[in-house]
Amino acid sequence: MDGTVLVADDDRTIRTVLTQALTRAGCKVHATSSLTTLMRWVGEGKGDVVISDVMMPDGNGLEMLPKIAKDRPGLPVIVISAQNTIMTAIQAAEAEAYDYLPKPFDLPDLMKRTARALELKRHRPAEKRVEVDERPDDLPLVGRTPVMQALYRLVARVMNTDLPVLISGESGTGKSLIARAIHDFSDRRTLPYVTVTAADLRELEGPARVLARVKGGSLLIDEISDIDDEIQARIVRMMDVPGDHVPRFMATSQTNLAQAMEAGHVRRDLYYRLSGATLHVPALRERVDDVPLLAQHFLARAEREGAPKRRLGAQAEELFRVYSWPGNVRQLENAIRRLVLTSRAEEITRAEVEQVLGNQPEVEPVLGKGEGEKLSASVARHLQRYFDLHGNMLPPPGLYGRILKEMEIPLIEIALEATGGNQAKCADLLGINRNTLRKKITDLDIQVTRRRKLM
């Protein structure tokens, strides 16, 4: 890589890692913990690419994008943030950031994106950016898991296009919230948002009335797979109506619409009209690492609404993680609301969670799945689920390295634990050179703790 990169992050470790990596790659680097300093460098004409955190001690990195665009049109800005909500991805897209990555980020991935930004900077003309609207960050579309971050990016990309959007997922995953977010943060936000069901379209004049209501805004067809063939045909004709006030069509479905089409339950002409952009919202049991984050979000919301302050105890949180949540995010929210009202102290106990969840349905527990199977079968099952979560899209590039890293880290950590932190014994156990082990510990940022092994 050839160019100068400006890095702004209040975390010294991140500044050090990025400075070392970018310098080794051939870049010049200026790193700071202050947005004020960053903006001074930008104003002085320094830098070919900016890498900036969002939440900084002296301001918000996203709010600086319009000024950067004004002072230095065409300067690529890569936003990195620990605020892993759909709002961050949407705001970064609206402000026309070159790219957005959630923390913790994959360093090789960030390096590749920086290289592309440097190359683009040399070849593209200056572009004008738009202002970031200030909007409440109260959408329960929260998640730091890779599959949710991929969904957020896709939402941000399709938001201001005219493509129809098909949103699939189980009941309670947040399909209607995704549709509403696409409308509320799009160029059509000032126009009507209308949700219709089969009942609204059953009469002959139904489609005309719906089009008159939506007036070029956004039209959401709820559970398209439950609509009979006659009404599906009316929707096809409605989507083909010409004019200057054609709405943005969106539809939700609990079933796989492609499979429903092959089975003859959904018209082919309707499927191909609706599937301009396909978004799949994963079930909560498929992103268990987001469960504590969502629980914290709902607890904080309840407190803002006047409920007493509550927090999950460690054992209660673990029970939340292993429960399968067949009702998905909606069920989780309802459980939190009950716990806020029924718990006797600030810390919610495991027993209180068991009481709330005791009468609710449960499918096979996530962490209990696969007991007794071979390691290769377990890995294959998790990899297949990872691919399935991306629907019709392929996972982000660099999958081989990410998977190896995901396996290496726990393998080395458990081996170190088993050998009491003795690196020589650990290297012998793993069958690798001791220097190789040391390098992996450093590269993978594995924390080595020396403790006596309990017999």
Side-chain angles (χ1 to χ4, degrees), residues 287-352:
R287 55 184 185 108
V288 292
D289 287 342
D290 287 333
V291 170
L293 196 66
L294 282 161
Q296 183 180 355
H297 175 89
F298 290 129
L299 287 169
R301 173 186 284 183
E303 186 178 350
R304 290 196 301 270
E305 293 173 351
K309 184 177 181 180
R310 294 287 186 265
R311 57 185 172 85
L312 289 177
Q315 291 185 341
E317 181 177 304
E318 182 59 25
L319 183 54
F320 262 60
R321 287 175 58 88
V322 301
Y323 184 69
S324 57
W325 301 108
N328 293 297
V329 179
R330 188 181 296 122
Q331 182 190 11
L332 172 62
E333 181 180 14
N334 290 335
I336 288 293
R337 288 185 178 278
R338 287 186 58 188
L339 285 165
V340 166
L341 295 176
T342 60
S343 60
R344 293 182 292 273
E346 180 178 331
E347 181 175 293
I348 298 172
T349 66
R350 181 186 178 94
E352 289 169 333

Side-chain angles (χ1 to χ4, degrees), residues 125-239:
E127 297 177 356
K128 185 178 179 181
R129 298 173 187 248
V130 297
E131 295 288 331
V132 182
D133 291 338
E134 292 184 4
R135 299 180 185 134
D137 186 4
D138 197 35
L139 293 170
L141 298 170
V142 179
R144 60 168 57 99
T145 51
V147 66
M148 288 304 292
Q149 290 298 320
L151 175 62
Y152 296 163
R153 285 196 193 83
L154 189 54
V155 167
R157 287 201 297 269
V158 306
M159 189 171 54
N160 284 319
T161 69
D162 293 326
L163 287 172
V165 178
L166 177 60
I167 308 169
S168 65
E170 295 179 5
S171 176
T173 52
K175 300 186 296 295
S176 59
L177 289 174
I178 291 288
R180 186 78 209 202
I182 290 174
H183 171 79
D184 286 349
F185 299 96
S186 73
D187 294 337
R188 299 175 188 257
R189 65 178 71 97
T190 59
L191 299 173
Y193 175 83
V194 176
T195 300
V196 297
T197 62
D200 299 297
L201 304 170
R202 197 165 299 283
E203 298 179 7
L204 287 175
E205 63 272 19
R209 285 201 297 261
V210 168
L211 290 175
R213 286 170 56 200
V214 73
K215 298 176 182 177
S218 299
L219 177 62
L220 175 65
I221 305 168
D222 191 39
E223 291 305 328
I224 190 73
S225 56
D226 293 340
I227 297 176
D228 61 45
D229 187 78
E230 181 182 354
I231 297 178
Q232 288 183 29
R234 291 180 186 173
I235 295 173
V236 170
R237 292 192 291 272
M238 183 169 61
M239 295 183 71

Side-chain angles (χ1 to χ4, degrees), residues 344-410:
R344 293 182 292 273
E346 180 178 331
E347 181 175 293
I348 298 172
T349 66
R350 181 186 178 94
E352 289 169 333
V353 174
E354 288 175 341
Q355 185 175 5
V356 167
L357 297 181
N359 296 323
Q360 300 193 29
E362 180 179 14
V363 297
E364 186 179 3
V366 174
L367 296 186
K369 189 173 183 179
E371 290 184 2
E373 67 181 349
K374 292 183 178 180
L375 176 61
S376 59
S378 177
V379 171
R381 176 168 51 81
H382 285 285
L383 287 175
Q384 186 61 57
R385 187 178 71 174
Y386 179 72
F387 273 83
D388 291 344
L389 290 177
H390 287 81
N392 296 327
M393 297 180 62
L394 290 173
L399 177 62
Y400 185 79
R402 290 199 304 275
I403 294 299
L404 288 184
K405 182 178 178 181
E406 288 288 330
M407 295 181 66
E408 268 194 311
I409 291 176

Side-chain angles (χ1 to χ4, degrees), residues 16 55 60 72 77 88 91 103 120 146 170-171 182 200-201 220 244 255 273 319 342 361 373 377 380 409 414 443:
T16 301
M55 303 306 295
N60 185 304
R72 298 277 302 282
V77 181
T88 309
Q91 289 179 327
K103 290 182 178 179
L120 182 64
E170 295 179 5
S171 176
I182 290 174
D200 299 297
L201 304 170
L220 175 65
D244 297 330
T255 62
R273 280 168 173 78
L319 183 54
T342 60
E373 67 181 349
I409 291 176
I414 292 171
D443 292 345

